[in-house]
Structure formats: C-alpha cells, structure tokens
Amino acid sequence: QGGTARGRRCKRELSGTQGGAGRPRPRQGAMMSIERATALHDLFNMVALPLLCVLNAVNWASDIALWAALEPTRYSSWRNMWIGGHQSLFLAATGVYICLDIAFLAAVPKCVKSSTTVLAHHTVVLVCLLVPYLRPTTHGYALGLCMTIEANTTLLIARRLLMSIEFPGKALVRAVVSTLFYATWIGIRLVLYPWLAVVVFPRDYLDAAARDGSYVNVVLAMPTLCVLLTGLNGWWSVGLWRSF
C-alpha cells in the first residue's frame, strides 16, 4: 500500500511539471495578474501622460514670432518663452503622477521590463521638481523643457499597444506613431537633453551661483541630474538599437 501511495504521489508531481523535466508549470492566475497589471499600468500612463503634455503645452508662449527669435543657447531666452499661467497645476500634477507610478511599480515591479531603472529615474525626477518648486518665478521653464520627454513616452506606450489590437487602417496609424516615436526619441532624448545638460542648465547654474554668492544652491540639481537622465536615455537608446 505504501508503494502504491508513493506511486500516486509521483504521478501527481509529474502531472504538475512541464514536459516531465521537473519544472513547475507557471500558475495561470499569477501570469494573468501580471498581464492585467501591465495593461492597467499602460492605461494609467495613456491617460496621465497626454494630460501632462497638454498642461506643459499651455504654459509655453504660442506666438510664432517669439519662437522664431528663440536663442537656444541662452536659458534666459527659454525662460522668456515660458508663460507659466498654469505652472502650479502642472508641477502638482507631475508630482502626483510620479508618486503614483512609483507606488504602482513598487507594488507590481514586473509590469515593466526594468522596474529598478524606472524607479531610479522617477526618484531623480522628484528631486528635479524641487527646483521649480523652490524657485517658481525663474525656473518653471526647466520643468517644461524636461517634461517634453513624456510626449515620447506616450508614443512608446501607444506603439506597444498597437501591436496587440487590430482595426482598419492599423498599418498607417502604426507607421505614423512609429515615425513620431523615433523622431521624438532622437530629438528629445538624444539632442535636447544633452543640450540642456551641457549648455543651458550649466549657464543657468553659474549665474544663479553668482547671484546667490555660493556654488551650493538648488539650481545645481538641474545640470547634475540632467546629466544622469541623459545617461539613462543613452542606455535606453542602446537597448532600443539592439532590439532591431
């Protein structure tokens, strides 16, 4: 009887393995939970990020003549382009979004490929938000410039979502989204961010240090953390290149 019982146990154990190789079958409930979490995370971002992009856009000048006169190497020129009529709302919404996304990633880290990297990125962004918070009359433009990257993130998620749904004209829509995605990836992550890190923000910091009489001030966070974010963008760009 003992041998028969052991035999039945062995059969049950073998039936719970994949291919009889001793590897447990993944629990379907757990897999579905991760899939639902990923879908919910994408949905959250597809609602929140476009709203942040709109809030960003309405804070910039709409006069084409002013943009034509922009001097991109001068932070004062960027500052003049920033109207900031809804800056407080934009800053608060950005902070709430980052905190909610951190909570989501901490609870369900597998909803993204590299939750540790994204959490590190979000932590850096939260520190960056201290600059426009502590100097709202002079550094709202920095918030606006850095948050342009969310337009690319929106396109990234939209591009991924398009892979899983079918509808008439999908090929054209996907081509447009992909083109905008790559254009904004290069323009924002690989051009704008390095430009801010090397040219615009360091000049702003040095002038702020001269005004404050100290090289230790909150504006130092702008060039320092922008260098870190630029490095992350470069790392992600290498991953994107390798995916082709």
Side-chain angles (χ1 to χ4, degrees):
Q1 290 181 350
T4 303
R6 282 195 298 271
R8 285 197 297 266
R9 282 199 300 272
C10 287
K11 286 182 179 180
R12 285 197 298 268
E13 289 170 2
L14 286 173
S15 65
T17 60
Q18 190 173 19
R23 292 177 298 176
R25 293 181 185 271
R27 291 178 298 176
Q28 186 176 3
M31 289 179 62
M32 291 302 295
S33 177
I34 293 173
E35 290 175 0
R36 286 196 297 266
T38 301
L40 183 60
H41 186 249
D42 283 346
L43 177 62
F44 165 65
N45 279 283
M46 286 303 295
V47 172
L49 293 182
L51 291 176
L52 289 179
C53 290
V54 171
L55 277 175
N56 192 355
V58 298
N59 279 287
W60 290 99
S62 58
D63 191 335
I64 298 178
L66 289 177
W67 283 101
L70 175 70
E71 299 178 60
T73 61
R74 300 181 59 184
Y75 70 87
S76 58
S77 186
W78 287 106
R79 186 179 293 173
N80 290 335
M81 299 302 302
W82 180 257
I83 306 301
H86 304 281
Q87 179 177 311
S88 297
L89 177 60
F90 182 35
L91 179 60
T94 301
V96 169
Y97 162 74
I98 293 295
C99 290
L100 287 176
D101 207 39
I102 287 175
F104 199 113
L105 293 172
V108 193
K110 291 185 178 180
C111 67
V112 295
K113 287 184 179 180
S114 179
S115 59
T116 302
T117 304
V118 178
L119 285 171
H121 169 271
H122 283 6
T123 303
V124 171
V125 172
L126 280 179
V127 176
C128 289
L129 294 181
L130 289 174
V131 180
Y133 176 75
L134 295 174
R135 302 203 175 188
T137 60
T138 56
H139 288 83
Y141 86 96
L143 171 67
L145 284 174
C146 289
M147 286 298 291
T148 57
I149 203 167
E150 301 306 346
N152 177 255
T153 306
T154 302
L155 292 165
L156 169 66
I157 298 171
R159 184 168 166 264
R160 182 169 64 241
L161 291 175
L162 283 172
M163 295 180 182
S164 59
I165 58 176
E166 296 293 335
F167 57 90
K170 173 183 174 178
L172 177 60
V173 173
R174 186 176 177 184
V176 171
V177 170
S178 293
T179 300
L180 292 174
F181 165 71
Y182 289 115
T184 54
W185 184 287
I186 295 171
I188 297 174
R189 295 182 186 271
L190 301 183
V191 176
L192 177 62
Y193 262 68
W195 183 259
L196 295 177
V198 175
V199 178
V200 179
F201 288 169
R203 292 182 178 183
D204 193 345
Y205 161 67
L206 291 174
D207 283 355
R211 290 192 303 270
D212 296 351
S214 173
Y215 285 103
V216 181
N217 59 68
V218 69
V219 184
L220 176 60
M222 288 167 46
T224 304
L225 298 180
C226 195
V227 168
L228 294 178
L229 293 174
T230 300
L232 270 178
N233 288 331
W235 174 258
W236 286 329
S237 297
V238 171
L240 180 64
W241 176 263
R242 289 176 175 174
S243 69
F244 284 108

